[in-house]
Amino acid sequence: MTYKSPLLQRHGAVEAGGLDAGVAAHYSDPIREQRLLAGVHGAAATAVVDLSHRGVVTVSGPDRLSWLNTLSSQQLTNLAPGVGTELLLLTIQGRIEYDARVLDDGETTWLIVENDEAAPLAAWLTSMKFMLRVEVADVSAGFAVLGSTHEVPEWDALLRWRDPWPEVAVGGYSYAVVPEDGHPGRERSWFEYLVPAAELEATVGERPLAGVWAAEALRIAAWRPRRGAETDEKTIPHELDLLRTAVHLSKGCYKGQETVARVHNLGHPPRRLVFLQLDGSQHTLPAPGSAVSVGGRTVGTVTSVAQHYEMGPIALAVVKRTVDPEAELTVEDDGEQYAAAQEVIVAPDAGQVVGRATGFLRAPR
């Protein structure tokens, strides 16, 4: 069944497409909504975002954290109740299959995922139970997610996941060129609240709503990758700087660990994430999937794009590692061409040995 949020009945709601089908792209004024979500010029952020299309999977039982620890890229055995983290489930080749926001309440581990991840993730986890004391359930129909850049005091009783981005977690590693105190992700706080689906409208109440376009613009500006947008069937974590929040480099064995370790210690990821400032003179935006080229040669793909309330048209793209960081890029979409100034996110020589030699990268904590 195709999901449709009850909040699409709110005045001005225009439904989103793609990954965000089923919730509102905006409520008739996306730039104003973005400002209300971000909080600008000293004003407090007030808007919340309907993310009720997200998938939610629960894992309960006394073995849940140690079990998830053996399966995933993240160290979870000592995860404290209420502390948010992120895990990846990888293929044997180290490619990203699932990317989950993780929160434990002391009895149950909650995994918040993209809409299309919940059912296959629950099925795969169930197949991996063996004799362990765990129970897996896809509870997406019973729970909704609301996003916010601020903590909502009236929602203190709700389970709340705080995005760890862009902090370099214990066991993590930064592949970014910029110093940590200059990372644009530090300008964005992000929280996701779990709400019983039947209480979604009452929980929102009269609070102003911002569409997912507003949330996406702030995510892109923070260089925060998203599964299904920045990823494809070949993506490894290093390409998106996900070693900082989603990978513990010194934990025990898990599927895909060999690739993670080999690329980190001996090689370089074949592609790298970049931030693009797009030429806004055409008053249109290229679509995700548009080709990125240098001198007529395709070198990558636009993965996410948005109109930012301050910076104008911006995007994330994944390009070949060897692309000159100083090169002027061109984005091509259906015959239209957009000049694009690139800002390096993942260093072209990303990898532990080279990174320590150049000083670009930060060692594991």
Side-chain angles (χ1 to χ4, degrees):
M1 182 185 299
T2 302
Y3 176 77
K4 296 286 183 182
S5 172
L7 297 176
L8 284 172
Q9 302 303 313
R10 295 290 178 100
H11 176 74
V14 175
E15 186 177 354
L19 282 175
D20 294 314
V23 296
H26 60 85
Y27 297 88
S28 78
D29 196 347
I31 295 300
R32 178 177 178 274
E33 293 163 29
Q34 196 179 142
R35 292 176 181 273
L36 290 174
L37 182 63
V40 297
H41 305 309
T46 57
V48 296
V49 183
D50 179 13
L51 301 174
S52 58
H53 61 316
R54 290 270 171 87
V56 182
V57 174
T58 58
V59 182
S60 57
D63 295 332
R64 66 189 184 281
L65 289 175
S66 59
W67 178 60
L68 288 170
N69 188 74
T70 65
L71 298 174
S72 76
S73 63
Q74 190 57 271
Q75 174 61 260
L76 299 171
T77 52
N78 297 315
L79 182 64
V83 176
T85 188
E86 180 181 12
L87 67 77
L88 303 176
L89 296 171
L90 307 174
T91 68
I92 195 68
Q93 295 84 17
R95 295 165 180 168
I96 297 173
E97 280 195 304
Y98 300 101
D99 183 346
R101 306 153 184 83
V102 185
L103 183 69
D104 194 84
D105 63 12
E107 296 182 351
T108 301
T109 302
W110 299 76
L111 306 176
I112 303 174
V113 294
E114 298 295 338
N115 191 359
D116 64 343
E117 288 182 287
L121 173 58
W124 184 79
L125 288 173
T126 298
S127 74
M128 299 297 291
K129 284 170 52 175
F130 304 114
M131 300 298 291
L132 294 170
R133 297 171 297 170
V134 294
E135 294 297 330
V136 179
D138 178 356
V139 297
S140 304
F143 286 88
V145 179
L146 291 170
S148 174
T149 59
H150 61 289
E151 296 179 83
V152 182
E154 295 85 354
W155 295 354
D156 280 350
L158 298 175
L159 289 171
R160 181 197 69 200
W161 177 80
R162 180 187 180 277
D163 190 356
W165 186 268
E167 296 294 336
V168 181
V170 174
Y173 205 101
S174 169
Y175 272 20
V177 171
V178 298
E180 288 304 301
D181 59 2
H183 195 291
R186 294 190 175 277
E187 300 177 12
R188 167 189 173 267
S189 295
W190 187 250
F191 302 90
E192 294 185 1
Y193 288 85
L194 284 161
V195 183
E199 300 173 14
L200 176 62
E201 292 182 273
T203 301
V204 172
E206 298 303 315
R207 289 177 181 81
L209 281 164
V212 290
W213 282 7
E216 283 292 277
L218 300 185
R219 176 185 70 82
I220 293 166
W223 300 356
R224 189 25 158 152
R226 180 180 180 185
R227 186 262 181 201
E230 277 61 60
T231 64
D232 59 23
E233 70 281 358
K234 296 181 180 179
T235 304
I236 59 175
H238 319 61
E239 297 174 330
L240 306 182
D241 200 20
L242 278 173
L243 269 64
R244 70 169 55 236
T245 54
V247 176
H248 193 291
L249 288 166
S250 56
K251 65 171 294 245
C253 185
Y254 58 91
K255 188 170 69 170
Q257 184 190 34
E258 183 179 349
T259 297
V260 170
R262 183 173 65 250
V263 173
H264 180 63
N265 290 303
L266 302 175
H268 305 300
R271 302 179 297 182
R272 58 185 180 87
L273 186 67
V274 296
F275 176 77
L276 301 180
Q277 289 272 7
L278 300 171
D279 175 17
S281 62
Q282 293 165 288
H283 307 292
T284 58
L285 293 174
S290 298
V292 179
S293 63
V294 175
R297 179 175 60 94
T298 298
V299 295
T301 304
V302 169
T303 55
S304 298
V305 64
Q307 186 77 25
H308 191 270
Y309 72 96
E310 283 186 329
M311 292 183 283
I314 58 174
L316 293 175
V318 174
V319 301
K320 294 179 179 179
R321 178 183 63 84
T322 54
V323 173
D324 183 353
E326 303 298 324
E328 286 289 326
L329 305 180
T330 300
V331 173
E332 302 178 16
D333 178 24
D334 196 25
E336 296 285 346
Q337 293 190 340
Y338 304 78
Q342 67 166 310
E343 191 167 345
V344 174
I345 296 178
V346 172
D349 57 358
Q352 186 174 22
V353 174
V354 173
R356 283 181 174 168
T358 62
F360 273 161
L361 311 182
R362 295 184 180 271
R365 295 170 57 186

